[in-house]
Amino acid sequence: MRNGLIILMLLGVHIASAQTKNHNSKDQLRSLNWDVIGSVKFELTEKNELLPIYVENITRFKNKMFDLQGYIIPIKNSQKHQKFLLATLPINQCYFCGQNGVPIMVMIEMENAIAFTDKPIRVKGILKLTNDNATYQPPVSIVNAKLII
């Protein structure tokens, strides 16, 4: 998983260098559910671990059904994806050019693989929160997800 995230970061740097330094604001997805995801804060420990801090705004959804609209960010090179990241910006946008740093991404684990698209998708599944080092995996995930049409 760590190698996948490193590759994703390198891909983001490559894409960022190939584009202008501005986001296309009409592509940015905003919703109350993304605000809930964005409420996660992080603490850097003395061991250089990045640990998530969850507030009530998100913990009330833990282990419950949660839906989210976003763009697929693949973690493997494939036509179909069962596990991928979901983000508020499409993969062709510059993730490192925003004023607030890299936007939060959510790990999605689908019940069935879906084809890649550069259009926004909406998924619904069980919201999971981990207390693991966020340097190596996203702390927020949606599992057993289904595509909502």
Side-chain angles (χ1 to χ4, degrees):
M1 181 61 151
R2 182 177 182 195
N3 290 340
L5 290 176
I6 292 170
I7 290 170
L8 177 64
M9 297 292 275
L10 291 174
L11 176 62
V13 170
H14 174 71
I15 290 169
S17 65
Q19 298 185 16
T20 64
K21 296 295 182 187
N22 296 319
H23 294 290
N24 187 344
S25 60
K26 69 181 173 94
D27 289 339
Q28 178 86 41
L29 295 176
R30 299 181 197 284
S31 71
L32 292 177
N33 284 359
W34 274 112
D35 290 345
V36 168
I37 300 299
S39 71
V40 177
K41 303 299 179 213
F42 297 92
E43 173 187 21
L44 186 61
T45 69
E46 292 178 6
K47 295 180 182 180
N48 213 26
E49 294 177 320
L50 195 59
L51 299 179
I53 300 170
Y54 301 110
V55 296
E56 192 273 331
N57 192 32
I58 192 167
T59 57
R60 65 186 166 139
F61 295 105
K62 183 178 180 180
N63 297 321
K64 295 182 181 171
M65 292 301 284
F66 194 83
D67 70 271
L68 199 59
Q69 182 180 21
Y71 295 95
I72 295 174
I73 308 296
I75 57 176
K76 289 186 179 180
N77 187 13
S78 177
Q79 292 291 323
K80 290 194 169 203
H81 303 274
Q82 194 159 3
K83 190 173 185 178
F84 54 88
L85 295 168
L86 197 69
T88 60
L89 287 169
I91 195 167
N92 66 349
Q93 294 281 334
C94 174
Y95 281 89
F96 306 97
C97 303
Q99 295 177 345
N100 297 322
V102 178
I104 191 165
M105 291 185 247
V106 175
M107 180 64 72
I108 306 295
E109 295 181 31
M110 300 293 293
E111 284 186 350
N112 299 304
I114 61 172
F116 175 81
T117 177
D118 60 354
K119 306 288 186 235
I121 64 165
R122 187 170 170 205
V123 297
K124 184 174 187 176
I126 305 295
L127 185 75
K128 296 290 184 182
L129 306 175
T130 67
N131 292 315
D132 297 333
N133 186 349
T135 303
Y136 301 111
Q137 69 179 21
V140 180
S141 61
I142 297 177
V143 300
N144 300 326
K146 293 180 181 176
L147 191 61
I148 298 174
I149 298 177

